[in-house]
Amino acid sequence: MRKEIHPAYGPVVFRDRAANRAFLTRSTMSSDKTIEWEDGHTYPVVDAEISNVSHPFYTGTARVLDTAGRVERFERRFGKRGGA
């Protein structure tokens, strides 16, 4: 690999603002804000709007739309569209 062309890769804390949860991982992202982690070290913190802790798909609160039922209801009301 060529030297000095890759971004710095190191520990970063990602904080989910919606669920008020944070996790420590490694990333190339950086931030001016820092946070003191549970291990006593200070790490850069990146605020995220949503993560697996607050996303409806992962929390089980996702709604499944019945698109097939809607199409059938529309066709019953207005009839099927004929060919051109």
Side-chain angles (χ1 to χ4, degrees):
M1 284 200 300
R2 292 187 350 204
K3 294 185 185 272
E4 299 180 10
I5 64 167
H6 302 286
Y9 182 71
V12 177
V13 174
F14 284 92
R15 183 170 47 192
D16 183 351
R17 302 298 278 173
N20 199 22
R21 298 277 308 265
F23 57 93
L24 177 65
T25 187
R26 294 179 57 89
S27 176
T28 58
M29 292 186 74
S30 63
S31 175
D32 295 334
K33 294 188 255 178
T34 59
I35 188 171
E36 187 172 335
W37 193 242
E38 300 160 353
D39 61 2
H41 292 91
T42 302
Y43 299 106
V45 63
V46 176
D47 290 327
E49 294 296 322
I50 196 161
S51 71
N52 65 330
V53 177
S54 60
H55 193 280
F57 178 79
Y58 294 105
T59 59
T61 59
R63 293 186 349 201
V64 176
L65 297 176
D66 183 21
T67 55
R70 290 182 179 198
V71 171
E72 291 168 0
R73 241 186 341 228
F74 179 84
E75 288 176 349
R76 272 196 309 253
R77 280 191 210 155
F78 302 105
K80 290 186 178 184
R81 183 176 179 187

